[in-house]
Amino acid sequence: MVVVLSGGPDSVVREVLAGIEEEGVPSTVETVTGQSATALAIRAAAQSPLQVGIGVDADGEVSVCHVKLEQPVFELAGGSSPARLRTLGHNAARIVAGLPLRTVTDG
C-alpha cells in the first residue's frame, strides 16, 4: 500500500491517487498539516508496508520517497498540471511494482 500524507488541495491528491489506482496498487490517504511535501513523503514511506510514500503540502507541492533513499525520488512544484500529477502517481506505483517509469509530461 502506498501511503499518502496530505495537507494539500483535494484536486492534487485526487490526480495522484488516480495514477496509483490505474496501476492497480492500493493506497491510503491521511490528512496531516504543517509540514513540507518532502517531510510528509519521508514519513509516509516509513509507514508504508511497500516502503513508498507520497507527501502533498499546503501549496500543492508533491514529493515521492522510498524508505531506503535519503532524497525524494520525484518532486513536483505546486500548480503542476493534472497530467503531471497523475504520472507521478503512476510512477510511485511503478516503483512498488518494479515496472519501468513513465516520462512526466503535460500531454
Side-chain angles (χ1 to χ4, degrees):
M1 177 172 311
V2 174
V3 174
V4 179
L5 297 181
S6 175
D10 289 340
S11 59
V12 170
V13 174
R14 187 173 38 253
E15 290 299 328
V16 171
L17 291 175
I20 296 169
E21 182 180 321
E22 288 168 1
E23 294 293 337
V25 174
S27 63
T28 185
V29 180
E30 182 182 331
T31 301
V32 180
T33 59
Q35 294 183 13
S36 71
T38 299
L40 290 171
I42 291 168
R43 278 183 53 198
Q47 292 176 16
S48 170
L50 298 175
Q51 301 182 328
V52 175
I54 299 174
V56 182
D57 71 13
D59 296 325
E61 182 177 321
V62 184
S63 185
V64 176
C65 287
H66 188 282
V67 77
K68 293 184 180 178
L69 301 175
E70 294 179 11
Q71 305 242 343
V73 179
F74 298 105
E75 293 180 299
L76 287 178
S80 293
S81 72
R84 283 182 176 265
L85 293 166
R86 191 172 289 227
T87 300
L88 184 137
H90 282 282
N91 284 339
R94 285 172 168 250
I95 291 169
V96 169
L99 296 171
L101 303 178
R102 293 183 175 199
T103 302
V104 179
T105 64
D106 286 322

